[in-house]
Amino acid sequence: MYSLPKLERFEQNVASKFNIYNSIFITLPFNEINNTGVLLPLFSDICEQGYKNNQSPEEIFNAFASKYLENPTEEEKIDLMFRFIQYVERQVVLFDAIEDASFNVVNNMEGRGSLRNIKERAEQRFKREELIAFLNDFKVRPVLTAHPTQFYPGPVLGIITDLTQAIKINDLHSIKELLAQLGKTPFIKKEKPTPFDEAVSLIWYLENVFYHTIGEMMQYIQKNIFKNKAELNNPIFNLGFWPGGDRDGNPYVTTEITLKVANRLRTSILKSYYLDIRKLKRKLTFSGVEELISSIENKLYRSVFYSEGTLFISKEELASDLKLIKTLLIEKHQSLYLNEIDNLLNKLTVFGFHFATLDIRQNSKIHEKVFQDIIDKNPKLFTENYNILNEEEKIKILSNVSADLKEEDFDNHETKITLSSINAIKTIQENNGELGCNRYIISNNEMATHVMEALALFRLSNWEDPTVDIVPLFESVEALQKANEIMEQLYTNPTYKKHLESRNNEQTIMLGFSDGTKDGGYLMANWGIYNAKTAISNISRKYNIKVVFFDGRGGPPARGGGKTHQFYASLGPEIENKQIQLTVQGQTISSNFGTIDSCHYNLENLLSAGANNQVFHKEENHLTNDEKAVMQKLSEISYQKYIDFKKHPKFVPYLENMSTLNYYAKTNIGSRPSKRKQSAQLNLDDLRAIPFVGSWSQLKQNVPGFFGVGTALKYFEENGKWDDVQNLYNNSLFFKTLLENSMMALSKSFFPLTAYMKNDPEFGPFWTIIHTEYLETKRLLLKISGFTELMENYPDGKASVAMREKIVLPLLTIQQYALLKIKELKENPIENEKQITVYEKIVMRSLFGNINASRNSA
């Protein structure tokens, strides 16, 4: 049967359904909703026409008010704006649910990138044994982070899940009820969530999505690729977890919280096993098997509900009992329900008793303070002149230091929590197994000393040979450039070498796209990470170290997001790629892994990216020296353009006065502060990447995803070297992916929204700099790709972006109108504090809907 093109499937199953179900809102029996539902489309049309006619948000809203409202007071206008915001927020939820419900129809779940496709390609090319070897070695680790970009409270997430199921089966009665429930359910958190609240929210995805999806994928691999002939001992998938363990810049993450989260993770996975065992008990009613299942059920029940930390069954015992049941089923019961036992065994292999590995992360600057405190309190452990020694001499001392320091011996809060976090790792490993918590990440890592300080902290806590990986996080352009030299210092240090030997000679290194982009711009950050990976791969191979790269990727292209699987597929043989590890956060968790279908699709694509590099295209995606030279030149020009832009005297004032930057800290969306240091004056270095990138996104300017790209391409155009970049685009999947992701950032930009700023006496010239670079980047990206429109090769993605942008256009207009009113009110000699507060609330409320609609904007 003829299959409709992807765009037509999107139009039929998403766009059309949205228009139908959206009309139900107007029929809901709520006060004033009918009036809002009638007025909103009219306002949306006036917004579209107004921006085409170069009107400002203020002119657009006033034109609407004069045409459709009868002599409205300021209070009536404000009331309508709030109602528009509430209405649009719910439209976004409806659109999310419809897209989720239609995911398996719009996307080809068994097409390119799927497990089935990998299997068939391997068989067709006589590479089945190579594929099996790959699956016995390769791993994918999505790490769920607590970064505050998911604005839906728990009850709303529940409604989205139920609404998605109702839409799948076109249950109009349930859809209407759920939309009515949605209309009555608050979208705003009254209080900031604690790190534990954030953990509980993300554990929902572990229990309801990842647990089932990964179980099914492991089962498919075992049955259809391994053919049940070989044992599948490699977990393939490891899940990472940051809420409750990520201390960097978050004073609310305490040792108590860390232990509480680890306990919740263990309880959650045991509960998941218990529910599976209960289902199995109804099936395995055979002599000799029923008794074993009942015993497992009883022990798991007691471990979950009555344990108080005590386990009544170990992971090894559970595995042994399940394998015994499997043997009995094969030998005595014609292998009835054998698949279900295999499925549970595979889940146990992946999730153990830990569910997801809780990472501990701390900033190197905190470690430096902690060490100074330790030195001051224990001078005999260090030489008197330690602080004035060079790095080599300090590393020598750190390599040999050991003690049994106790947190109660110190008064400094940071020292106490640092030492107690190490003891927490020990406790978690005892309760959840080593995989419960076995990584210590050092953010802002800039020298070998930072790694040796972290290792020394374990030895100073009476843990001589810690079963923990020390993971340096290189973020800035400068740190990336010297990362290979830092790693060579560590590889040749006898103490660290011994530590690596105890860790199977495997070194994990984290690379931060987020702060790299903020520091050096889009092209330089991506190219800097590519070069760092190449150099680190070379030095690691030299010393026979298996290096694993862990990418700090966010949702948008500016933070390493975009077409993630395509990025990994583009890495050539120069870069070690035995594992794919990446952070996933906020709306990217709900959009890419929020349902069984989307989770299947995206995990399979990541696995396929690894297979492309190691099984099917081993020697492809290799950049020649000439291509590297072109890439280097592009990055240098782009970097200089971005650095000059960042040094512009209006750069920080523009963000502070013309964007929503100052409002991120006021929202109850996450436990983490928006700045590392809580100083009154904004320092760009202390500003976190999320509010930085998110503020540009709210302006619909998306600067971090494109600025400098147009200037770099223009250099080659003007100097008669266009063929060099054109050939690079045609031949390099890496470069093509970079530019296509930048196209996504451009597609989500909308400069007519802020065009009024070009007439601002203070910020007009600065706005023009951004707009000019946007136009040049767009022109040259279309030229190099041969497209007539951005994202032309992803028509369904382009259509989705267009619909989402159309839905939130009224919100964006209201937000800009409110920002203008705030500025106007603050310039008035007699400030109206009450009105300013109301308009600030409008800015914050519109911020939520805009980010939820974008799905990968921060």
Side-chain angles (χ1 to χ4, degrees), residues 174-192:
S174 294
I175 291 167
K176 191 166 183 178
E177 280 191 337
L178 287 162
L179 290 177
Q181 182 186 351
L182 193 66
K184 293 279 190 180
T185 303
F187 271 49
I188 304 303
K189 299 179 177 80
K190 291 181 180 178
E191 296 177 355
K192 272 184 177 288

Side-chain angles (χ1 to χ4, degrees), residues 231-277:
E231 194 77 21
L232 181 53
N233 293 318
N234 178 32
I236 299 177
F237 301 98
N238 301 137
L239 295 178
F241 205 77
W242 275 16
D246 184 7
R247 283 160 165 70
D248 182 14
N250 194 339
Y252 308 110
V253 177
T254 63
T255 302
E256 182 186 3
I257 289 280
T258 301
L259 293 170
K260 195 176 174 184
V261 169
N263 186 60
R264 182 61 172 257
L265 284 165
R266 185 185 70 250
T267 303
S268 296
I269 189 59
L270 292 177
K271 184 176 72 174
S272 297
Y273 294 151
Y274 169 73
L275 293 173
D276 274 356
I277 288 291

Side-chain angles (χ1 to χ4, degrees), residues 73-96:
T73 64
E74 193 68 17
E75 287 70 25
E76 287 172 334
K77 287 182 184 178
I78 287 168
D79 179 62
L80 183 61
M81 280 188 267
F82 275 118
R83 281 192 280 129
F84 278 166
I85 290 168
Q86 291 169 337
Y87 200 98
V88 173
E89 281 176 334
R90 285 150 181 82
Q91 284 183 313
V92 171
V93 168
L94 175 61
F95 192 81
D96 282 348

Side-chain angles (χ1 to χ4, degrees), residues 623 627 630-631 634 724-732 735:
L623 288 173
E627 288 170 337
V630 173
M631 194 68 227
L634 284 165
D724 292 346
V725 288
Q726 188 67 64
N727 290 334
L728 181 62
Y729 179 85
N730 294 339
N731 298 331
S732 167
F735 186 55

Side-chain angles (χ1 to χ4, degrees), residues 26-38:
I26 301 175
T27 68
L28 298 178
F30 300 140
N31 295 336
E32 299 179 317
I33 197 167
N34 187 49
N35 186 38
T36 308
V38 170

Side-chain angles (χ1 to χ4, degrees), residues 818-835:
L819 287 168
L820 283 163
K821 293 296 286 186
I822 291 166
K823 190 178 180 188
E824 178 188 311
L825 288 165
K826 285 185 175 179
E827 287 170 357
N828 193 319
I830 306 169
E831 282 195 11
N832 189 331
E833 291 295 336
K834 190 176 178 182
Q835 266 203 318

